[in-house]
Amino acid sequence: MTMAAPALEAQFVTFSLGEEVFAVPVEVVREILDYAEAFKIPNGPDYLLGLRDVRGQGVPTIDLRLKLGLSKTVPTSHTRVLVLDIPIEAKVLTLGLVADRVFEVTPFRRDQIEAAPDIGVRWRSDYIAGVVRRENGFVVIVDLARLLSREDTVALDPHRAGHAA
């Protein structure tokens, strides 16, 4: 019996927030939708835009720009919502993530992916799964499970919202 060698590359969906390019693994992307206003949820975190109906399922939708400390998204004709199924601990969190623009599905070789940069001071970089250099800049690969804290996942779980202590 032979063991399969680890894949030399993986597929990612790239998207932008302003001028910066980010990526998430293609296997967590369920679908990409045009932007539409979400149903507001009172007392949610500031980055929680509300719920979006996705094929009969209420999907919490977040403004990733606000979660990363950037300015609020101003929707344009290019704004999209990536519907993601994010494995967190023993369950899967379905989440809508607003992006200024979605570019493509692209492969990155594992040897292209660098660790988060060390700038010599403590900063919130644990959400960076890696960085890929490209001709015109960098692509930051987002680790969504790390980006969302335990409190975030409780607040964003429509089955547990309102039941948290």
Side-chain angles (χ1 to χ4, degrees):
M1 180 174 163
T2 60
M3 293 183 58
L8 297 178
E9 66 180 32
Q11 301 279 325
F12 292 87
V13 174
T14 59
F15 59 94
S16 70
L17 300 176
E19 299 298 316
E20 315 310 324
V21 180
F22 296 85
V24 293
V26 72
E27 60 266 16
V28 303
V29 179
R30 183 193 298 177
E31 59 188 299
I32 299 169
L33 305 172
D34 289 339
Y35 178 81
E37 289 291 325
F39 293 98
K40 306 288 186 243
I41 300 175
N43 299 321
D46 61 343
Y47 60 86
L48 175 60
L49 299 176
L51 286 176
R52 169 105 188 242
D53 181 41
V54 178
R55 304 185 196 292
Q57 179 185 7
V59 174
T61 301
I62 69 167
D63 187 336
L64 185 58
R65 294 176 63 96
L66 290 177
K67 182 65 181 163
L68 295 177
L70 303 172
S71 61
K72 183 178 180 173
T73 296
V74 177
T76 70
S77 61
H78 300 291
T79 304
R80 297 290 180 269
V81 176
L82 290 92
V83 179
L84 309 171
D85 290 322
I86 307 165
I88 297 179
E89 298 174 354
K91 65 178 189 168
V92 174
L93 174 66
T94 300
L95 186 69
L97 185 153
V98 176
D100 291 342
R101 180 184 297 251
V102 174
F103 294 116
E104 62 186 342
V105 175
T106 188
F108 294 140
R109 291 188 329 269
R110 300 241 183 246
D111 63 359
Q112 286 180 290
I113 301 172
E114 303 171 18
D118 182 0
I119 60 171
V121 295
R122 293 180 59 119
W123 66 298
R124 177 92 201 271
S125 63
D126 61 334
Y127 74 89
I128 299 176
V131 177
V132 177
R133 289 174 195 271
R134 296 178 116 180
E135 273 183 35
N136 52 356
F138 295 93
V139 176
V140 175
I141 300 171
V142 179
D143 184 331
L144 294 160
R146 286 189 186 164
L147 178 64
L148 300 169
S149 68
R150 178 176 297 272
E151 292 79 24
D152 291 331
T153 57
V154 169
L156 297 174
D157 185 344
H159 302 294
R160 295 181 66 181
H163 300 290

